[in-house]
């Protein structure tokens, strides 16, 4: 992956530069390599806790025995769990570095490197990261938090979810703990991002912020977590961690433009586990498919609330034709689940396998009809404006 790449063009009258987070080492010598996204500083976050009383209790005692010393914000150092969480999670975070593929020659070719981050998911060397971190990466090396280097032996990648699973020959690694359902997350919840920003020498850097939004649909096949943690080039593939030390998601992208600050996005743990299990079992993701192309309504495209159905623009499979689906039909629900966006369908289909039979509530020629469809195997639904592959060259959204 080369340096100075930026943005996907999507024609939604919104001009925001999106910067995916894997970074080439050539960024340091690029004349136009401007790094977007200022470093987040935790300013005033503790102000609301000013004056809070924190007592230390001895085991078995019923009352306070000692008041902790305080800093200028009125909070004791011992009461802040962040340093302990970072210390506990960091051994499960790795850096991934390799040669940017497709570029050869020149006296400084040895510096033509690109890097990202990863999360250890098993003690025997399986690591989850972003697909765009691994795309075009040659002679890749994984470096653990203790400075040990490992060659990558296997790589399985899924471009649609932007997730990849890599294998190193290692034993007794410390796997991360992934959180349960994203449904329990709350906006405002404090989170930590850990990774390898900007320079590979900055491995296991940590920044703190809060969850800014949930269920975001931002140039992705699945919903994302939005946070205001400082996520910079090289953080791709690193974890977003809660105050229990659990991985809430895999940091994947951010908005970067003049006037845009601290808008990072992470792939939720639910989606990560779904993709990871498929890659471990099959070496690929075997997704169910309706066998049609669908178009979202104008309100959904621009982000307005609405219940307009999806419109069939093309029938692709024999199964869909056998079910009687034709171009121009409107899709309201799948097995009783209302769907208004492509992401709605992709999220729902994590519960299904190819070959399953679903009931579709549709409108055809002005009539509301119920159709039975055998799901084929295929790619997830993505909007017509979304392009695949590296997004480091994206400049508009």
């Amino acid at each position: 992956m080369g340096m100075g790449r930026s943005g996907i063009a999507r024609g939604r009258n919104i001009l925001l530069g999106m910067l995916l987070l894997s970074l080439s080492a050539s960024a340091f010598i690029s004349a136009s390599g401007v790094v977007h996204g200022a470093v987040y500083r935790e300013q005033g976050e503790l102000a609301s806790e000013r004056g809070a009383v924190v007592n230390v209790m001895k085991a078995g005692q019923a009352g306070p025995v000692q008041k902790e010393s305080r800093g200028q914000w009125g909070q004791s150092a011992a009461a802040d769990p962040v340093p302990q969480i970072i210390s506990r999670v960091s051994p499960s975070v790795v850096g991934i570095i390799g040669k940017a593929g497709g570029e050869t020659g020149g006296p400084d070719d040895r510096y033509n490197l690109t890097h990202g981050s990863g999360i250890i998911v098993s003690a025997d060397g399986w690591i989850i990261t972003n697909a765009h971190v691994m795309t075009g990466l040659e002679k890749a090396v994984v470096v653990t938090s203790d400075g040990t280097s490992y060659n990558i032996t296997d790589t399985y990648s899924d471009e649609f979810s932007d997730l990849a699973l890599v294998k190193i020959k290692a034993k007794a690694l410390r796997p991360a703990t992934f959180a349960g359902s994203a449904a329990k997350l709350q906006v405002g919840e404090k989170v930590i991002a850990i990774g390898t920003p900007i320079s590979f020498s900055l491995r296991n850097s940590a920044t703190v912020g809060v969850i800014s939004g949930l269920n975001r649909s931002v140039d992705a096949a699945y919903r994302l977590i939005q946070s205001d943690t400082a996520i910079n080039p090289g953080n791709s593939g690193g974890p977003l961690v809660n105050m229990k030390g659990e991985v809430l998601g895999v940091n994947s992208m951010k908005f970067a433009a003049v006037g845009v600050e601290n808008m990072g996005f992470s792939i939720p743990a639910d989606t990560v586990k779904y993709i990871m299990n498929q890659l471990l079992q099959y070496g690929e993701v075997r997704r169910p498919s309706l066998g049609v192309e669908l178009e979202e309504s104008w309100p959904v495209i621009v982000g307005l609330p609405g219940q307009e159905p999806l419109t069939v623009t093309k029938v692709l499979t024999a199964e869909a034709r056998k079910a009687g689906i034709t171009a121009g039909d409107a899709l309201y629900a799948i097995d009783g689940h209302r769907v208004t966006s492509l992401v709605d369908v992709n999220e729902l289909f994590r519960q299904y396998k190819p070959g399953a039979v679903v009931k579709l509530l549709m409108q055809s020629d002005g009539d509301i009809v119920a159709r039975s469809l055998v799901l084929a195997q295929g790619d997830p639904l993505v909007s017509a404006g979304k392009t695949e592959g590296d997004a480091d060259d994206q400049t508009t959204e």
Side-chain angles (χ1 to χ4, degrees):
M1 194 177 303
M3 186 45 218
R5 304 169 180 169
S6 54
I8 293 177
R10 290 191 59 190
R12 293 189 182 176
N13 301 321
I14 301 173
L15 297 179
L16 288 174
M18 174 159 287
L19 177 65
L20 277 177
L21 307 175
S22 62
L23 177 70
S24 166
S26 60
F28 297 105
I29 58 175
S30 171
S32 60
V34 179
V35 176
H36 299 278
V39 175
Y40 174 82
R41 294 195 178 99
E42 196 173 0
Q43 300 182 43
E45 180 181 351
L46 304 179
S48 62
E49 301 177 15
R50 206 179 285 177
V53 176
V54 179
N55 295 310
V56 174
M57 307 291 293
K58 287 185 178 180
Q61 284 195 330
V65 296
Q66 180 181 354
K67 183 181 289 186
E68 288 288 315
S69 61
R70 303 177 176 281
Q72 61 173 328
W73 293 105
Q75 176 169 330
S76 69
D80 187 358
V82 172
Q84 289 75 25
I85 292 170
I86 294 171
S87 177
R88 188 166 74 248
V89 176
S90 285
S92 302
V93 183
V94 303
I96 302 173
I97 190 168
K99 188 176 181 300
E103 300 180 29
T104 59
D108 292 327
D109 187 54
R110 57 182 173 164
Y111 298 114
N112 184 29
L113 303 172
T114 185
H115 78 264
S117 306
I119 307 166
I120 297 170
V121 296
S122 71
D124 62 347
W126 285 106
I127 295 164
I128 195 77
T129 185
N130 284 134
H132 74 261
V133 170
M134 301 307 300
T135 300
L137 196 63
E138 300 176 356
K139 300 179 180 179
V141 172
V142 169
V143 180
T144 54
S145 62
D146 62 2
T148 305
S149 298
Y150 300 89
N151 292 326
I152 293 176
T153 59
D154 296 288
T155 302
Y156 302 101
S157 187
D158 179 61
E159 297 292 336
F160 290 102
S161 64
D162 193 24
L163 289 170
L165 196 62
V166 302
K167 181 71 168 66
I168 60 175
K169 290 183 179 180
K171 296 180 179 179
L173 298 178
R174 186 186 297 183
T177 300
F178 282 78
S181 174
K184 298 180 181 179
L185 299 182
Q186 293 183 327
V187 173
E189 185 176 336
K190 183 183 280 188
V191 287
I192 306 166
I194 305 176
T196 311
I198 311 300
S199 168
F200 202 68
S201 64
L202 302 180
R203 296 186 304 279
N204 291 83
S205 293
T207 59
V208 180
V210 298
I211 293 176
S212 306
L214 300 169
N215 299 320
R216 300 306 198 200
S217 178
V218 183
D219 286 300
Y222 300 97
R223 295 192 180 102
L224 303 175
I225 301 169
Q226 179 188 344
S227 77
D228 72 347
T229 52
I231 298 176
N232 293 290
N235 276 117
S236 279
L240 188 73
V241 181
N242 65 14
M243 291 298 101
K244 296 179 182 179
E246 300 169 329
V247 176
L248 298 178
V250 174
N251 300 322
S252 180
M253 66 178 79
K254 69 179 288 184
F255 279 119
V258 175
V260 178
E261 298 180 358
N262 299 340
M263 291 185 66
F265 297 90
S266 307
I267 304 166
D270 291 358
T271 302
V272 175
K273 288 184 282 189
Y274 165 69
I275 299 297
M276 186 168 59
N277 290 337
Q278 293 261 327
L279 293 176
L280 284 171
Q281 185 173 0
Y282 306 116
E284 63 179 359
V285 181
R286 298 181 179 178
R287 295 179 174 90
S289 170
L290 291 170
V292 299
E293 289 183 0
L294 296 171
E295 181 179 72
E296 296 171 333
S297 66
W298 179 82
V300 169
I301 289 174
V302 300
L304 292 171
Q307 294 296 314
E308 287 81 357
L310 294 160
T311 301
V312 177
T313 58
K314 189 176 182 180
V315 179
L316 303 174
T317 65
E319 291 89 347
R321 284 187 286 271
K322 184 177 180 180
I325 300 172
T326 60
D329 287 355
L331 173 63
Y332 285 91
I334 302 172
D335 277 350
H337 300 277
R338 189 68 179 267
V339 290
T340 62
S341 70
L342 303 183
V343 171
D344 285 346
V345 179
N346 294 336
E347 289 284 346
L348 178 63
F349 275 6
R350 292 190 305 168
Q351 307 171 28
Y352 293 82
K353 294 181 179 181
V357 178
V358 294
K359 298 294 183 181
L360 307 180
L361 181 64
M362 307 189 75
Q363 185 177 24
S364 182
D365 293 328
D367 297 323
I368 299 297
V369 296
R371 292 196 168 114
S372 180
L373 172 69
V374 178
L375 295 176
Q377 180 175 324
D379 296 331
L381 296 166
V382 293
S383 63
K386 179 175 171 59
T387 58
E388 297 178 37
D390 242 7
D392 279 351
D393 291 326
Q394 299 168 0
T395 55
T396 61
E397 182 195 61

